[in-house]
Amino acid sequence: MSGEVDLPSDQSQAVAGMIREELARRRMSRQKLADDAKISISTLEKALSGKRSFTLATTIRLEQALDISLRGAKAAVVGASPGLAPDHLGAYSRAATQWLEGEYLTLRPSFEGGEAVYAYCTAIGWDEGASHLVFRESSRMDGAFTQSGAVSLPNQSGHIYLVTNDHGQHRMAVLGRPTITGELYGMLCTLQVGQGAHLTPAATAIALINLGRVTAPAFGRIGPDHPQYGEYNGHLRKIMSQGFVRFFPS
């Protein structure tokens, strides 16, 4: 049999589903897989996106690189996609991202000026219908600006993106890998409300701490006289002082 023989369309889709799940589970980049399998990244990308079918030769190389069997993949694997996020969100599997699900104390500097810290709750969980992680904020003083949206987890950077898309208006938090004690530190890019209907692009540090690790969490505007101010402000200072994010010019 020629190595250039294409797999049947349904089997090729099943193979693509298995590969995306393996990449998400191993947190492996597509470039690394292409390098390990000695195929071009273009060939891999086109096959995973459905623009072309996997060939037998390519499938064998991928099996060797991943040390798994792909040719036994059934079309039913594609039906397992409810447990797999779409490609534009990183094609991660629920099993590989369950560690991220939960409720988080969320901290950022107050936009009202001064030294206050603004604290609220962010819940992250799996949406069965959409087949990806979603987030939703709560316990905000400014409830009208509560955000919700999709969670993106691309293998390439290993970062976590919380993205709101409200009729084309975007707001995004970019979070790094969890620290050794589980905190998620990063940057929030949003719009600050000014006078009247004026909105100004703004970026600031943001921290997510699993609520299970927080004793008696406090929400709202936490000023310097609050008992938990030192702990909360310490997280934000750590983000800036230890290089979790960088603003230019520095």
Side-chain angles (χ1 to χ4, degrees), residues 167-191:
H167 301 287
Q169 181 170 291
H170 285 70
R171 178 263 207 186
M172 180 172 66
V174 184
L175 306 170
R177 297 176 183 272
T179 67
I180 193 169
T181 49
E183 294 89 358
L184 299 171
Y185 292 147
M187 177 191 300
L188 173 66
C189 301
T190 187
L191 295 174

Side-chain angles (χ1 to χ4, degrees), residues 10-124:
D10 59 344
Q11 187 179 19
S12 183
Q13 291 177 36
V15 168
M18 288 185 68
I19 291 173
R20 286 196 295 268
E21 186 165 356
E22 284 297 314
L23 289 172
R25 185 176 64 82
R26 303 182 191 199
R27 299 189 71 81
M28 182 182 190
S29 72
R30 294 184 177 190
Q31 183 64 64
K32 184 177 188 317
L33 175 58
D35 292 343
D36 290 349
K38 295 180 174 59
I39 62 175
S40 72
I41 185 62
S42 175
T43 295
L44 180 61
E45 292 282 6
K46 288 178 180 178
L48 288 177
S49 66
K51 293 180 180 178
R52 59 167 295 176
S53 293
F54 284 97
T55 65
L56 178 60
T58 296
T59 304
I60 291 173
R61 287 172 179 259
L62 289 166
E63 285 180 331
Q64 294 170 340
L66 293 169
D67 195 26
I68 61 172
S69 174
L70 295 171
R71 281 170 288 174
K74 305 294 184 184
V77 172
V78 177
S81 59
L84 187 68
D87 191 62
H88 72 273
L89 293 178
Y92 54 84
S93 69
R94 184 177 189 182
T97 55
Q98 282 185 323
W99 62 270
L100 186 56
E101 295 187 54
E103 292 187 310
Y104 295 84
L105 170 67
T106 306
L107 308 171
R108 65 162 171 78
S110 172
F111 289 160
E112 297 176 5
E115 299 179 355
V117 174
Y118 191 59
Y120 53 96
C121 179
T122 300
I124 298 176

